[in-house]
């Protein structure tokens, strides 16, 4: 059974500091890994998706890396802003032989202080 | 496009009451999903519908039933609500089963007293 862990559970940084969010998973047989953002009381918004054959993806100030062999992904957010305050979830999509099941971590709640 | 919509946004039930959570998507997606999110835990899959006319159990199906009414709509029913079903429920859809990205609705916050 795939287990997805995100540490730390919460993070508070001053504005302008770079954010580093960690995600680990136990089964390296994944189809892809995705990072989501969740604002309080809202649904999930996809930020970045990394295919199992890729090492990283970038979008603006966001960069996500994937090391499938070690079961780790890291989301970097450069020059953080108060608007980056949210909960960030990672999710791994299992391979077809595992019914494409999407497994989520519990999330890291980020607060960027102005 | 509204994307994925869910009703209601909030609901309070007493133990033993029943209710149906509604979900609709306007993206012409084939696959739809119901998740629950509890504090300190990731989202867990309750049921999914890989395509119109099919439904399958996910990780935590007990106490729930679903109906894929048509391609657009996928409802979740609690026949006899229990306090353990207090949670935030999310509906999601994707183009196909196994598609890269799932699109999520805003959620329904359910409290069972």
């Amino acid at each position: 059974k795939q287990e997805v862990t995100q540490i730390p559970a919460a993070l508070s940084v001053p504005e302008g500091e770079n954010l580093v969010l960690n995600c680990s998973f136990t089964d390296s047989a994944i189809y892809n890994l995705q990072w989501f953002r969740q604002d309080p009381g809202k649904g999930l918004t996809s930020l970045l998706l990394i295919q199992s054959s890729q090492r990283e993806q970038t979008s603006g100030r966001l960069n996500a890396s994937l090391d499938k062999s070690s079961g780790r992904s890291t989301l970097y957010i450069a020059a953080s802003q108060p608007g980056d305050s949210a909960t960030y979830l990672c999710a791994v999509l299992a391979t077809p032989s595992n019914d494409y099941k999407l497994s989520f971590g519990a999330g890291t709640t980020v607060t960027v202080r102005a | 496009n509204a994307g994925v919509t869910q009703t209601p946004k909030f609901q309070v039930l007493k133990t033993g009451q029943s209710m149906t959570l509604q979900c609709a998507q306007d993206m012409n997606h084939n696959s739809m999903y119901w998740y629950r999110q509890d504090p300190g835990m990731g989202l867990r899959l309750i049921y999914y519908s890989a395509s119109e006319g099919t439904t399958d159990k996910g990780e935590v199906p007990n106490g729930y039933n679903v109906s894929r009414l048509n391609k657009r709509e996928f409802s979740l029913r609690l026949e006899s609500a229990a306090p353990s079903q207090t949670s935030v429920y999310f509906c999601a859809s994707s183009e196909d089963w196994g598609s890269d990205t799932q699109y999520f609705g805003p959620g329904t916050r359910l409290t069972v007293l």
Side-chain angles (χ1 to χ4, degrees), chain A:
Chain A
K1 180 177 182 268
Q2 178 74 271
E3 301 285 345
V4 182
T5 303
Q6 291 185 248
I7 294 173
L11 187 60
S12 179
V13 300
E15 182 177 5
E17 192 166 300
N18 295 334
L19 285 163
V20 180
L21 307 179
N22 298 303
C23 172
S24 62
F25 48 95
T26 55
D27 186 349
S28 62
I30 65 170
Y31 200 63
N32 64 43
L33 183 143
Q34 199 161 1
W35 283 93
F36 291 88
R37 171 182 170 135
Q38 184 178 25
D39 292 292
K42 305 287 187 183
L44 280 66
T45 301
S46 179
L47 296 174
L48 288 169
L49 185 147
I50 312 175
Q51 299 292 354
S52 62
S53 58
Q54 297 176 315
R55 298 282 297 191
E56 66 176 346
Q57 277 286 348
T58 298
S59 175
R61 294 184 296 112
L62 277 59
N63 174 277
S65 65
L66 174 64
D67 184 342
K68 207 172 65 162
S69 61
S70 68
R72 293 183 183 178
S73 176
T74 303
L75 177 66
Y76 300 90
I77 303 177
S80 61
Q81 304 168 358
D84 294 327
S85 297
T87 296
Y88 293 83
L89 298 160
C90 76
V92 294
L93 186 65
T95 56
S97 60
N98 287 304
D99 291 334
Y100 290 120
K101 183 179 181 297
L102 192 62
S103 299
F104 283 85
T108 295
T109 299
V110 171
T111 302
V112 181
R113 307 186 303 273

Side-chain angles (χ1 to χ4, degrees), chain B residues 90-106:
Chain B
F90 288 100
C91 177
S93 70
S94 64
E95 189 168 341
D96 290 296
W97 180 237
S99 290
D100 285 348
T101 302
Q102 293 183 18
Y103 297 84
F104 286 79

Side-chain angles (χ1 to χ4, degrees), chain B residues 24-43:
Chain B
Q25 52 90 10
D26 62 1
M27 295 175 282
N28 201 37
H29 285 170
N30 289 308
S31 301
M32 297 184 74
Y33 313 81
W34 276 106
Y35 294 90
R36 61 178 288 173
Q37 185 179 34
D38 300 295
M41 302 181 72
L43 277 73

Side-chain angles (χ1 to χ4, degrees), chain B:
Chain B
N1 285 353
V4 180
T5 56
Q6 293 182 235
T7 55
K9 286 187 167 52
F10 301 93
Q11 184 71 50
V12 179
L13 293 177
K14 294 181 181 177
T15 297
Q17 287 185 318
S18 62
M19 79 160 296
T20 299
L21 280 64
Q22 306 286 353
C23 173
Q25 52 90 10
D26 62 1
M27 295 175 282
N28 201 37
H29 285 170
N30 289 308
S31 301
M32 297 184 74
Y33 313 81
W34 276 106
Y35 294 90
R36 61 178 288 173
Q37 185 179 34
D38 300 295
M41 302 181 72
L43 277 73
R44 292 180 292 168
L45 184 65
I46 305 170
Y47 270 94
Y48 65 94
S49 171
S51 61
E52 187 180 357
T54 70
T55 60
D56 285 286
K57 294 178 181 179
E59 187 182 350
V60 288
N62 291 346
Y64 304 96
N65 285 301
V66 291
S67 295
R68 184 73 184 267
L69 304 169
N70 48 56
K71 192 171 184 179
R72 290 187 63 248
E73 299 172 289
F74 188 38
S75 63
L76 178 72
R77 183 161 178 83
L78 286 71
E79 290 291 351
S80 179
S84 61
Q85 294 178 304
T86 293
S87 188
V88 181
Y89 291 85
F90 288 100
C91 177
S93 70
S94 64
E95 189 168 341
D96 290 296
W97 180 237
S99 290
D100 285 348
T101 302
Q102 293 183 18
Y103 297 84
F104 286 79
T108 294
R109 292 184 175 275
L110 175 67
T111 301
V112 183
L113 302 174

